Each structure stands twice: as C-alpha cells, then as structure tokens.
Amino acid sequence: MSFATLLRRDVPASLVVFLVAVPLSLGIALASGAPIVAGLIAAVVGGVVAGLFGGSVLQVSGPAAGLTVVVAETISRFGWAATCAMVVAAGALQILLGLSRIARAALAISPAIVHGMLGGIGLTIVLGQLHVVLGGAAQSSALDNLLALPGQLIGSHDTAAFIGVLTIGILLLWPRLPKAVRKVPGPLAAITLTTVLALVAGMQLDRIELPSNLLDITFAPQLPEGGWFDIGIAVLTIALIASVESLLSAIAVDKLHTGPRANLNRELVGQGMANMASGAIGGLPVTGVIVRSSTNVAAGARSRASAVLHGIWVLLFSVLLAGLLESIPLAALGGLLVHVGAKLLNVGNIREVHRHGDLPIYLVTLFGVVFLDMLTGVLLGIAASLLMMLLRTRSKIHAESDGDRWRVVVDGALTFLAIPKLSKVLAAIPARTEVNIELVVDYLDHAAFENLSNWQLAHERGGGTVVVDEIGHPYYERGKSGAPTVSRLAAAPVLPRWLASWSDWQAKTGPHLPDQRSAPPSTAQLRLGTSEFQRRTAPLVQDTLSGLADGQNPHTLFITCADSRIVPNLITTSGPGDLFAVRNIGNLVPADTGDSGPRDSSVAASIEYAVGVLRVPEVVVCGHSGCGAMKLMLDSTAELPVVREWLRHAEPSLRRYEKNSPVSLNGELPEAEGDRLALHNILQQLRHLRRYPVVAEAEARGELHLTGMYFDVGAAQVYLFDPASGAFEPAGEPAACRQD
C-alpha cells in the first residue's frame, strides 16, 4: 500500500470510525457495569492489537454489545478485577483455538442461534437501559426490569428522561436527514447535541466519571477465589461468544469489499492477543464489531492501517480531551444503548430465520438469553436446533394394497423418531399377505432396523412373504440375519435407480411386483422399468412434462450412435425437452449431394426440422469407443448386406483416416484402431453437416454452433473437440469445441 493511499483512504476512514467508536465504547462499558474507562481501553487495544495481528484486513475490533450481559453477570458474581483476569484467560483460549486451526468449526452454529443470541442481548439491554433513560436505575435481571417497566413508564420523569428520549429521537431521525448531514455519524451527533443542550441549559444530571490521569494505569487483574468450575464456564463463555461474533463479523465484512479475504484462524489469534492485552490493563472483552467494520468499509478504508489509527485516535482523544467525556450525561448514553440494543433485534434477520423455518430456534435462544443467562440460552438454542433437525429428517411412510398384495414405501431417514408411525403402518397389514417394502432411506438407525427386522420375521412366520427393495445404500440388505450395514463405506456403491441398467437392478432385487413375476421373461424387465417410472419418476417429472405438452424448444440436436451403451441424457446431464436426438449405426450424417438431394432423407429431415423449425443453437455429433460400425469399416469379411449399404455413408471417414494424421485424446492416441477411426468419423460428419444449406445459413448468421464429442465408454469420460489444438480434450477444460 502506498503512502498516498494511506493518506487519501485510510486516515479519513479511521477518523470516521473513531467518531462512531467513542460513544459506543462508553455506552457498552456503562451497560456492562464496568468502569467507564474500560470501554475506552478496549477500543484502543482492539483497534491497535487486533488491527495489527488479526486475519481480517478491514475488520475493526473493540468492546461489543454482544458481551454486555455476560460481562455484567461476571462482574456481579466475581468482581471487576477477577473479570479482567477471566478476559485474559479467554484471550489465551482464543489463541489456542486459532492455532489449532478449527476456526471454521465455530461456523457450524446455526445462524438462528447467533441471531437469537444477539436479539436476546439486545432485548436485555433495552429492558435495562429504558429505566436509565426514564430517570430510574436498572434492576438486577431482565425479568425484574420487565416487571418494573410499567411503573417506570407511568411515574414522574425529570430532565434525565428528556435527554434520554431526545437521544433516541435524534438517532431515529438521523438516517432520514440529507446525505451531507449524515456524513457525521449518528451516535456522535446524538451524544454531542444532547450534551451541549444539557450544558447550556444547566441541567443537573449524572455524568461520566473518569480517572484523573488515564495514562496512570496501576490496575492489575486478580485471580478469582474458589468456584473453579463456574470460573471455567465463564471463561469458556466469553471466549466462545467473542470468537463466534468476531468470525461472523469477519465473514460479513468480506461480503462488503473485494479485497483480500479474511484468514479466520489468524483472526482468532489476533482477537485472543487483543483480549489478553485488554484484560491485563483493565479493559472490556474485545470482539470484531460489524457496526464499526461496515463503517470502515463504507468510509473507503483499504488496509488494516485504518483500524490501527482509529485506536490511536481514541487514545489521544481520551487523554487530551477527557474533560469533554466527563460532560456526557449517563442518560444520553442510556438512550444510545437502547437504540443499539433495538438494532440487535434485527427485523431483517428475524424474517430470514423465519424463511428458513428456524424461527422456533431463534425464539428459544432469545428467551433463554433474556430470562436465564447467555450460556443457557445458547445451549437451549443448540438443543432446539438438534431437535428440529431430527424432526425434519423423519421418514415419510405409507402403505397401499391391491387385494392380498401390499406395498410399503419408506422415504427419508428412518430413525427411532419414525418407529411409532412405522409400527402403526406395519401393524395394519393383514397376516399371510405378500408385502413389498421399498426403502429409500438416507440412514437407518439401530432402533428402526430392529423394529423392521422383527416385524419381517414375524410376518413370514405367520405365512406371509416380505421382499425388501432398497433404493440407495443397502443398510437393510442383511435384515433377517440381524447384521446391518452400519457404515456407507461398508456398503457397495449403488447407482440411483434411474442410472442403473435393468440387468444390474434385476440381478440385485429380482422382479417383485406380481405382474412382473408372471410376465414372459422377454418383457419382465421392460415391465419392471415402466412400473418403476410410474411409481417413482412420473410424479417428479410430471410438472416438467406438463410444460412441454404443447411444444418443444430443445437446445441441442444430438446426433449419436444407436449403441445401447450411449445414453445422451446421462452423459450431458439433461432431461426432457433438452435434446432433439437422432440415432443411427455409426452416428453418421449422409452427405448432401446437391442436385440429386441427400442420400438419406430420414437424417436430413431431422436436421432440417431441428435447425430450420426448432432453431436449435447447437448441433452435436457424438461418437464413442468400441463402436461396432467402425470395426465393420475396418473388417470387410462380415456379411451384413443391409448394414454394409448404410455404412457407405462412412466411406469418406475411412478415406480421411487413411490420409490424415491421427487425432488424439488429451494428447494421447487410442489403442484400438476402431477408436482412432471413430475420432476421424466425428470430424467428417461435422463436415457433412456444413454441406446442408439450412446448417450453412444458420452458421453464417452466427445462430448455430457445431460440436464434436467423443465418449470413452470404459473410462466414463466425455471429450470435446478443440480446433485450436486439433485434438479432443476432456470435458470441463477450456476448449472452443468447434470444428473449422
């Protein structure tokens, strides 16, 4: 970073952040029940230490509203000196967490819990500071504050109430003022205006008290006495909340700029160093603060110098202009904190949580924080999150009958939570019936396995038959033996039904449906497939097909071989309405001979319709390895007169192969001669395509793109032709994929 950028960008940004930080730091210290100077110390240390050593370039750290409740409880129980020692210990724990490189694990906490925690903190601050704004004193708990609030509202109010309410009014009005006025931060403007008014009017109010010399720091943390378990819990709580808030703030800041991304593990180390330093000299806990950080980005900061300078400005202001700070009414800071606390109850976050169906988690966490304590609230939120996860993964279970034959479908995660429903469904199935159980489960736990296995054995002992068809990982394949496949790693990989071949599926499961067991062998597999489509796939694709009922608009004319191993929609990850497919032996495009017309009207008609009527923007010619047509072109002994007649359209490909250099696959030549011919055949068919007037005209207008594709069946690898290299390159790598 140049010195000019520092002067032009970071210095002005640091001044803006400093103006926001001072009143917030004082207010947070007041709400925490700590000495007022502790907020300023945390602001200085957070700016300088976390700014220098943290992993987020533009994040600004300092005392945060998110820890006020925890700090207030800790001070009340252990005293201020002991709390500072705990802050040092929490900082050391943060450093260990950062060095262990598990910072991202903290992000596994549900956003609903984090927002609920912040909302609970905000509500607690509002309930307590409203009493200060109205001229009273905050109670010892949020519940007491809530119960005492009606009496406080209807009681008599003095000048303190006027200053507090005026501060809130200015903060609410400030965002609606002209942009030129809003260049002054709202918190600074509100505190300045109310302080000046109180001084000019000579109001008798409680004001901030600071030490006579802020540089004369003789404070030393003291180890708390006894109750080491409770002390450990307090240290862990401070460390975890400070870490999560800092990490979430760092990620949010990354979304606000395009500069270097945050190193989260380094950020934890930097935050830990700042907390150790802050606690050691009598400061509040430090976290990354989104309000200051977003202000920093918006003000144009480009480097960590802005955060460091903001801390220096706070120090200079506090030392040189301490008298101004002592003029600020406590009621004004109370009004500022009410506004800050209300903003933590972010309506946008609540809507987002509700959209994701996590509002119960948010509310459990919020009320736990407000009416119990911070740690209990978060733990309750985690418990609620786990419970909702279990409820959401319950299986869908239903049964249907056809005479004495029953079909039971179980879909989802089959756990102990689903046993009541599973038992009810299975108990309704009469004895001595044929039952086909279809398990489409992501997980099968011990309780569900045992319940299902016991029912199967009992039903078969009673004269019935049970066939279990698993689609997915075979957790239950050894159900009757009582030996489950516990791990997916222990189970053989299973293709989704719509990707597996009939023979593969039939070999594993056999025909289960009655009409399939009685059908002729020649049609059993087709009946099995069509029945499976109607039961499983049709409901999923019906909406898509309904939209295609009155017409089609495919993207690609796909010309490929009739070989049964080539499945166009599989190798292109496409579905109904995407491909207009033409298949023939050898993926041939008979050459248009001009005056005498094309030599094969079927393929020509398909090309003319796809390009001229459907206006597809792309035509693909796809060949493949092991092509029988290419083998026949190289072997003249086989007597297949009709096939030989068709393969006359491939003779130009054979001549091209004999006269030109080999075409490579990713820099290597195929071992089989037929595969080397197949590559030339693809390029020759693209040449034939360009002889069709409808294709030539569309390509000349820039409306059509021709692509050569090759599928290596054994390797399951798709290649696309790149004219720049003159070779076929693996799909997914940059390639023009157009034959010139």
Side-chain angles (χ1 to χ4, degrees):
M1 180 193 66
S2 67
F3 185 70
T5 301
L6 173 66
L7 291 177
R8 185 163 49 92
R9 296 286 190 177
D10 292 308
V11 171
S14 69
L15 290 170
V16 174
V17 177
F18 150 70
L19 294 174
V20 173
V22 169
L24 289 178
S25 299
L26 295 173
I28 290 168
L30 175 66
S32 301
I36 292 294
V37 72
L40 298 175
I41 293 173
V44 174
V45 173
V48 176
V49 178
L52 283 174
F53 300 105
S56 178
V57 174
L58 298 183
Q59 173 150 276
V60 182
S61 300
L67 277 166
T68 52
V69 175
V70 172
V71 174
E73 292 176 354
T74 307
I75 294 173
S76 175
R77 183 166 186 179
F78 300 102
W80 172 238
T83 298
C84 289
M86 295 180 190
V87 172
V88 174
L93 180 56
Q94 284 183 290
I95 292 176
L96 292 176
L97 291 173
L99 293 176
S100 64
R101 311 189 69 80
I102 62 170
R104 291 187 179 274
L107 301 180
I109 297 176
S110 168
I113 296 174
V114 176
H115 293 315
M117 178 190 72
L118 294 176
I121 292 167
L123 185 55
T124 302
I125 292 172
V126 170
L127 291 174
Q129 294 304 310
L130 273 176
H131 289 278
V132 177
V133 169
L134 297 173
Q139 306 297 313
S140 59
S141 71
L143 181 59
D144 291 337
N145 282 320
L146 181 61
L147 295 175
L149 190 56
Q152 188 73 62
L153 288 171
I154 64 177
S156 59
H157 303 126
D158 55 13
T159 52
F162 172 75
I163 290 297
V165 172
L166 180 60
T167 303
I168 297 173
I170 293 172
L171 289 167
L172 294 174
L173 177 65
W174 204 255
R176 296 173 173 81
L177 296 180
K179 186 175 181 180
V181 178
R182 285 187 280 112
K183 289 183 178 179
V184 179
L188 177 68
I191 297 298
T192 301
L193 291 174
T194 53
T195 300
V196 170
L197 176 62
L199 290 173
V200 171
M203 297 179 183
Q204 298 301 313
L205 300 167
D206 291 333
R207 303 179 189 274
I208 291 175
E209 295 181 3
L210 296 176
S212 58
N213 184 0
L214 289 178
L215 293 179
D216 184 18
I217 301 176
T218 58
F219 175 87
Q222 298 177 4
L223 291 176
E225 297 179 0
W228 290 107
F229 177 79
D230 293 336
I231 293 169
I233 291 296
V235 169
L236 181 62
T237 302
I238 293 173
L240 289 180
I241 294 173
S243 299
V244 171
E245 188 168 344
S246 297
L247 294 175
L248 292 177
S249 175
I251 291 173
V253 172
D254 277 351
K255 297 178 181 179
L256 300 177
H257 67 91
T258 58
R261 303 294 90 182
N263 181 327
L264 297 183
N265 291 305
R266 177 179 170 180
E267 181 63 22
L268 267 193
V269 173
Q271 293 292 333
M273 294 173 66
N275 273 315
M276 291 189 72
S278 182
I281 59 176
L284 287 170
V286 170
T287 73
V289 186
I290 189 59
V291 175
R292 303 180 197 191
S293 303
S294 59
T295 301
N296 192 39
V297 175
R302 290 293 183 270
S303 74
R304 61 180 71 243
S306 177
V308 175
L309 286 172
H310 123 275
I312 294 174
W313 303 143
V314 173
L315 175 62
L316 293 176
F317 182 89
S318 302
V319 172
L320 300 178
L321 301 172
L324 291 179
L325 296 180
E326 291 181 320
S327 301
I328 299 175
L330 293 181
L333 289 180
L336 173 62
L337 284 169
V338 168
H339 184 260
V340 170
K343 290 184 71 173
L344 290 177
L345 282 161
N346 190 297
V347 176
N349 289 338
I350 296 174
R351 288 173 178 166
E352 184 70 17
V353 167
H354 179 63
R355 245 193 322 266
H356 288 276
D358 288 340
L359 188 58
I361 300 173
Y362 175 91
L363 294 175
V364 166
T365 307
L366 183 144
F367 289 117
V369 169
V370 172
F371 296 113
L372 297 173
D373 57 68
M374 173 72 68
L375 181 60
T376 304
V378 171
L379 292 177
L380 286 174
I382 293 174
S385 178
L386 294 174
L387 178 60
M388 289 195 67
M389 179 187 71
L390 291 173
L391 292 175
R392 286 168 174 169
T393 56
R394 287 184 302 176
S395 291
K396 297 177 182 178
I397 306 170
H398 74 273
E400 56 189 42
S401 64
D402 179 15
D404 291 336
R405 304 184 184 104
W406 284 76
R407 172 173 168 259
V408 180
V409 179
V410 182
D411 192 357
L414 189 56
T415 67
F416 65 94
L417 293 173
I419 288 180
K421 176 79 177 287
L422 178 65
S423 299
K424 180 180 179 181
V425 170
L426 295 178
I429 298 176
R432 295 183 295 280
T433 53
E434 297 182 10
V435 182
N436 180 41
I437 300 178
E438 298 180 10
L439 293 180
V440 192
V441 298
D442 303 312
Y443 175 70
L444 180 69
D445 75 357
H446 181 197
F449 178 93
E450 190 171 275
N451 184 273
L452 188 59
S453 178
N454 290 341
W455 179 87
Q456 180 180 3
L457 292 172
H459 190 77
E460 291 179 344
R461 282 196 298 268
T465 60
V466 180
V467 176
V468 180
D469 175 16
E470 290 192 83
I471 300 174
H473 292 274
Y475 289 109
Y476 191 75
E477 63 180 349
R478 293 173 293 181
K480 285 196 289 185
S481 67
T485 304
V486 176
S487 171
R488 289 191 179 197
L489 298 177
V494 178
L495 283 172
R497 173 63 197 99
W498 50 90
L499 298 183
S501 66
W502 282 337
S503 57
D504 179 72
W505 196 39
Q506 193 91 347
K508 289 182 173 61
T509 65
H512 299 326
L513 301 181
D515 60 338
Q516 290 159 2
R517 289 197 293 271
S518 60
S522 59
T523 62
Q525 290 181 334
L526 179 62
R527 288 174 179 259
L528 180 64
T530 54
S531 297
E532 177 69 9
F533 168 79
Q534 290 302 142
R535 285 184 292 142
R536 295 202 180 280
T537 310
L540 300 177
V541 300
Q542 184 173 6
D543 289 344
T544 300
L545 293 174
S546 295
L548 296 170
D550 297 327
Q552 60 174 319
N553 185 30
H555 176 273
T556 300
L557 167 59
F558 199 87
I559 302 173
T560 191
C561 187
D563 194 297
S564 63
R565 297 167 294 177
I566 309 303
V567 186
N569 292 110
L570 174 63
I571 65 176
T572 61
T573 315
S574 55
D578 294 331
L579 304 181
F580 188 88
V582 174
R583 306 190 65 155
N584 59 58
I585 295 176
N587 46 271
L588 302 179
V589 179
D592 191 323
T593 57
D595 295 339
S596 61
R599 297 171 66 185
D600 183 87
S601 58
S602 174
V603 176
S606 298
I607 294 171
E608 182 177 76
Y609 188 79
V611 178
V613 178
L614 299 178
R615 306 254 178 212
V616 295
E618 182 175 38
V619 180
V620 172
V621 175
C622 177
H624 64 98
S625 62
C627 181
M630 298 301 102
K631 294 177 182 178
L632 285 174
M633 292 298 298
L634 297 170
D635 178 12
S636 58
T637 60
E639 295 185 2
L640 298 167
V642 179
V643 175
R644 290 289 181 190
E645 174 63 24
W646 168 251
L647 290 181
R648 290 174 56 195
H649 300 307
E651 290 175 358
S653 300
L654 183 60
R655 292 194 294 270
R656 179 188 180 110
Y657 167 70
E658 293 170 344
K659 295 180 180 179
N660 292 277
S661 301
V663 180
S664 67
L665 288 174
N666 197 26
E668 298 182 0
L669 298 180
E671 294 183 4
E673 186 178 10
D675 295 345
R676 296 197 292 271
L677 173 58
L679 297 176
H680 276 286
N681 180 58
I682 295 169
L683 302 182
Q684 186 63 37
Q685 303 317 308
L686 291 174
R687 184 181 293 259
H688 289 174
L689 268 171
R690 287 192 170 87
R691 295 179 183 174
Y692 285 76
V694 67
V695 173
E697 292 169 4
E699 192 175 24
R701 293 193 302 267
E703 298 174 357
L704 188 64
H705 183 81
L706 304 188
T707 298
M709 179 184 293
Y710 178 84
F711 183 58
D712 186 333
V713 176
Q717 175 65 58
V718 175
Y719 295 86
L720 302 174
F721 183 69
D722 178 15
S725 64
F728 284 82
E729 305 291 347
E733 297 184 4
C737 303
R738 175 174 172 175
Q739 166 65 14
D740 292 327

